Amino acid sequence: MAMAACVKVILGSVAFAIFWVLAVFPAVPCLPIGRTAGSLLGATLMVIFQVMTVDQAYESIDLPILVLLFGTMVVSGYLERADAFKYLGKLLTWKSKGAKDLIFRICLVSAVSSALFTNDTSCMVLTEFVLKIARENNLPPEPFLLALASSANIGSTATPIGNPQNLVIATQSGVSFWEFATGILPATILGVFFNALLLIFIYGDLLSVKKDQEDPTAGFVNGECVNSHQFSPATMGGHRVNSEPENHWFLNGAYWDHRDQPCSRRWKMQLWKSCVYLVVVGMLVSLLMGLNMSGTAITAALALMILDFKDAVPCLEKVSYSLLLFFCGMFVTVQGFNRTGIPSTLWELMEPYAKIDEISGLAILALVILILSNLVSNVPTVLLLGARMAASSALISPAFEKKAWLILAWVSTVAGNLSLLGSAANLIVCEQACRVPDMGYTLTFWKHLKFGVPSTLLVTAIGLMLLKS
C-alpha cells in the first residue's frame, strides 16, 4: 500500500499514538480514562481526522472474533460456577512433595487451564489459590505467582481459544483448530517444562528454605480452605459468597448449607455440573472437528444458558464488555493506521531481511514481533503483521504460510512474559495478588523483569526451533 496524503499520515499517526499510550499506560495523569475509553477515542479520532469513513470503521470490526471471545467468556463463567477451577485447585495440593513439586504443578495446571479457558480467566481465578498454597507451606509467593503468570501465557499458545491474539490469528488465517493445536503443542509442552526448570534454577534457594519467621496467621489456610476457594461476589445463583463461611451457597435469594441439603437437591446440582462439563467437552470436540469456531462457542454458551434454566442476566453480567469494546476500538484504530501506509512501508523495508525460511531472517522476524508485542501489545502486533507475514511466506510455499501464522502466535504470546506490562495475564496476577485479604503481595515490575527476560528468550528460542523444523 502506498503512503497516504501527508496530512492523513500525520493525523492517523497521532490517533494511533493516543491509542497506544492509553493502552499501555491506562492511568496516564493527563488523561486517566483507561484502556477501553482510550481505544474508543483512537477509533473516533480516525474518523474525525478523515483517515477513514464511518462505514469503513464499521467494516473493520471483526464480528466473528467478538462472537468467539464473548462465547468463551460465557462458557468460562459457567465452568467457574460448576467448580471446575476448584477441582483444578485441588490438583495443586494433592499429595504434594515440596516447593519444587508445587512449582511444576502450578505451571502444568496454569498451562492446561489457559489453553482451555483462556489465560486471563485462569489467572483471575487461580491467583488466590496460589497465594494460599504459598502461605500454607510458609514459602515466598514470588516464584509461585511468576509460575502462574508465565505458564498461563505459554500454555495459552496451544489452542486458538487460549488468548485473544490466537483468536485473531485463527479467524484470519483459516488454520483449523486441529492444525493449530497439533502444530504448536510440542513447543508449548517444552516451553512450560523449561520455564518451570528456569524458575527452580533462579529461585532454588527460596524454594529450598522456608521463611525464617513463620507468619502468625499461617494456620488460617489449610488443605480444606485451599480446596474451597471463594470466587466472586454472589451475583449468580448457586455461587458461593465471599462473606459467608465455607459450604454456604447463595441460591434463590437465601443462604443454604450444601451439607444439609436434601438428596434431591444434591443430585440436581451434580447433574447440572455434569451437563456443563459435557457441553464444554462437546464444544472442544466440535472445534477439533473443524466446525466454525465462533458458531461453536456461541452455541455452547446458549446451551449452558438453557441448561441453567433461569434468568441468564447474572451470568451475562460476568462478561467483560469493556474488553469487547476495547477490541472494537482497536480494530478501527489499527485499520486506520494501516490506511496511512506506514506499516506497509516499514514491512517492505524489513521483508528482505525477515525471510521465514532462513535462520537469520527468522531471528530478525522474531525480534521484531517480540519488540512490537511489548511496545504496542500483542493483539495490535498480530493485526499489523499477520496478513503481511502470511503473504510473504506464501510466496515460498503454502506450508510456510501456515508456519508463519503459528510463529506469529507463538512469539507474540510468549513475548508477554518479558515484562509485567507485556501481558494482561501478568497484570491480572499482580492486581489480584495485591487485593487478597490478609495475604496481599506486590509483584513489582523489576521482580518480574528479573525472571521475564531470560524466560522469554529461552522459551521463544525453543519454540522457534520446533516450529521451524
Side-chain angles (χ1 to χ4, degrees):
M1 178 185 291
M3 291 287 285
C6 183
V7 174
K8 285 190 176 182
V9 170
I10 295 173
L11 293 177
S13 299
V14 169
F16 184 79
I18 291 173
F19 157 77
W20 177 82
V21 170
L22 293 175
V24 177
F25 307 105
V28 62
C30 60
L31 195 63
I33 60 176
R35 289 187 177 89
T36 301
S39 173
L40 295 176
L41 176 60
T44 303
L45 289 177
M46 286 292 182
V47 176
I48 293 175
F49 292 159
Q50 298 185 355
V51 177
M52 60 197 311
T53 65
V54 174
D55 290 339
Q56 290 170 338
Y58 283 130
E59 291 172 1
S60 66
I61 298 175
D62 199 322
L63 187 59
I65 294 176
L66 296 179
V67 172
L68 181 56
L69 190 59
F70 172 83
T72 54
M73 284 192 286
V74 172
V75 171
S76 295
Y78 277 105
L79 279 170
E80 181 181 329
R81 280 186 56 194
D83 290 337
F85 292 100
K86 185 186 78 172
Y87 300 140
L88 285 175
K90 288 183 177 181
L91 294 176
L92 297 179
T93 55
W94 181 65
K95 295 184 178 180
S96 174
K97 298 179 181 179
K100 295 177 182 178
D101 177 52
L102 283 173
I103 286 288
F104 273 101
R105 291 188 184 211
I106 291 171
C107 288
L108 179 61
V109 169
S110 175
V112 172
S113 61
S114 296
L116 299 178
F117 313 128
T118 77
N119 54 350
D120 294 352
T121 300
S122 297
C123 289
M124 182 73 72
V125 299
L126 290 177
T127 299
E128 190 171 341
F129 273 124
V130 170
L131 276 178
K132 287 182 176 181
I133 290 169
R135 183 172 184 175
E136 179 189 27
N137 291 273
N138 200 28
L139 291 165
E142 181 181 335
F144 299 98
L145 293 175
L146 288 171
L148 173 63
S150 59
S151 297
N153 287 325
I154 298 170
S156 70
T157 61
T159 65
I161 60 173
N163 56 59
Q165 60 270 23
N166 281 12
L167 297 177
V168 174
I169 289 171
T171 304
Q172 291 188 348
S173 67
V175 177
S176 70
F177 190 100
W178 175 255
E179 289 177 322
F180 192 106
T182 54
I184 211 166
L185 185 59
T188 303
I189 294 172
L190 278 183
V192 172
F193 176 74
F194 279 99
N195 185 66
L197 286 181
L198 187 62
L199 277 163
I200 292 173
F201 175 76
I202 293 178
Y203 295 98
D205 293 340
L206 289 176
L207 295 174
S208 299
V209 182
K210 296 185 178 182
K211 293 178 183 176
D212 294 336
Q213 183 176 1
E214 185 175 352
D215 192 321
T217 58
F220 173 81
V221 181
N222 51 43
E224 185 66 24
C225 286
V226 171
N227 294 342
S228 60
H229 167 69
Q230 297 170 357
F231 294 107
S232 48
T235 55
M236 295 190 288
H239 209 287
R240 189 173 285 135
V241 181
N242 286 346
S243 60
E244 289 304 303
E246 179 190 355
N247 299 315
H248 283 72
W249 296 71
F250 186 80
L251 185 66
N252 298 328
Y255 298 112
W256 53 278
D257 189 327
H258 70 75
R259 294 170 299 183
D260 300 329
Q261 61 180 307
C263 291
S264 60
R265 178 166 283 181
R266 288 201 302 269
W267 178 82
K268 289 179 181 178
M269 179 62 70
Q270 292 302 320
L271 178 61
W272 180 79
K273 288 182 181 181
S274 300
C275 290
V276 171
Y277 299 146
L278 285 174
V279 169
V280 174
V281 170
M283 181 186 79
L284 295 175
V285 171
S286 299
L287 292 172
L288 289 171
M289 291 174 60
L291 298 183
N292 180 273
M293 284 188 281
S294 300
T296 299
I298 198 66
T299 300
L302 288 170
L304 291 173
M305 293 179 198
I306 294 171
L307 285 172
D308 199 27
F309 207 66
K310 63 181 67 170
D311 190 349
V313 169
C315 181
L316 294 176
E317 288 175 349
K318 303 286 286 184
V319 173
S320 178
Y321 295 102
S322 61
L323 179 62
L324 297 177
L325 286 174
F326 173 81
F327 264 71
C328 290
M330 181 181 61
F331 285 138
V332 176
T333 305
V334 172
Q335 181 60 25
F337 188 56
N338 279 330
R339 294 179 68 85
T340 65
I342 294 177
S344 296
T345 302
L346 293 176
W347 175 256
E348 288 171 3
L349 294 173
M350 188 188 71
E351 186 178 9
Y353 309 100
K355 296 295 184 182
I356 197 173
D357 58 336
E358 301 173 359
I359 295 178
S360 60
L362 184 60
I364 292 173
L365 185 61
L367 183 63
V368 170
I369 297 172
L370 192 151
I371 293 173
L372 279 178
S373 294
N374 280 275
L375 285 179
V376 302
S377 188
N378 38 33
V379 179
T381 296
V382 166
L383 291 172
L384 289 170
L385 292 182
R388 295 176 176 87
M389 281 182 57
S392 177
S393 301
L395 297 176
I396 303 172
S397 75
F400 274 101
E401 180 182 3
K402 172 189 170 184
K403 191 172 294 186
W405 285 111
L406 295 181
I407 288 173
L408 180 59
W410 175 257
V411 180
S412 65
T413 302
V414 175
N417 284 336
L418 186 70
S419 73
L420 190 61
L421 301 175
S423 165
N426 300 343
L427 294 172
I428 288 171
V429 169
C430 180
E431 293 177 6
Q432 290 289 102
C434 290
R435 295 175 183 174
V436 176
D438 302 321
M439 291 184 294
Y441 178 82
T442 301
L443 182 64
T444 66
F445 179 88
W446 296 112
K447 287 179 180 178
H448 188 284
L449 195 68
K450 172 187 172 183
F451 170 74
V453 172
S455 171
T456 301
L457 296 178
L458 174 65
V459 174
T460 300
I462 291 171
L464 286 176
M465 287 189 292
L466 290 173
L467 290 170
K468 185 182 184 302
S469 60

